[in-house]
Amino acid sequence: MTWQNYFWQNEDECPSQLSSADIVLRQQLESSLGKFFFEKCDDTIKDLLSSCRWYMKNNANAMTLVIECPNHNTNWLILEKVAPMASLLKNMASSAKIRICPPDSKTTPHEIRVDEVSVYRYW
């Protein structure tokens, strides 16, 4: 194996552990994605999101909008807005999903991929 081949093979591999700089960069990316998404939302969705804890997560597989609902009523209202939120996310990333966490921690969160958005348009 030549020095060049060895160099490029190691360069292409993912690091076994993230550095503190990697972690900070990921947090900044997620924050920027969240701000960009929020700016694109209509006022109704902005109001709903403002009543929840929400954030963006980004990993190698997909970008995820995580919404933690404070009560069942808000959870239902968020579910009704899945289609427009998914459409906005799909414009940002083709492999994105929305995870809606109900207020009851014993209940399983709903997770919807943006490419499944047509199923939710008629709620």
Side-chain angles (χ1 to χ4, degrees), residues 74-119:
T74 304
N75 188 72
W76 182 250
L77 294 171
I78 290 286
L79 285 169
E80 289 179 335
K81 294 296 183 181
V82 164
M85 287 189 292
S87 294
L88 290 171
L89 283 176
K90 193 171 186 177
N91 290 332
M92 294 172 63
S94 59
S95 60
K97 53 189 171 180
I98 301 171
R99 181 179 302 131
I100 302 169
C101 305
D104 180 6
S105 62
K106 296 176 186 171
T107 306
T108 305
H110 302 282
E111 196 161 282
I112 301 121
R113 293 188 335 245
V114 296
D115 60 355
E116 297 174 331
V117 70
S118 61
V119 174

Side-chain angles (χ1 to χ4, degrees), residues 27-67:
Q27 289 170 341
Q28 289 175 342
L29 173 63
E30 291 169 347
S31 176
S32 294
L33 288 169
K35 288 176 185 174
F36 182 79
F37 171 77
F38 192 77
E39 288 172 1
K40 298 295 180 189
C41 292
D42 66 26
D43 289 341
T44 304
I45 294 173
K46 284 180 181 178
D47 289 344
L48 277 172
L49 289 174
S50 294
S51 69
C52 302
R53 178 175 183 261
W54 69 275
Y55 53 93
M56 292 290 210
K57 293 296 295 172
N58 191 49
N59 62 35
N61 299 328
M63 179 174 66
T64 305
L65 169 62
V66 180
I67 305 170

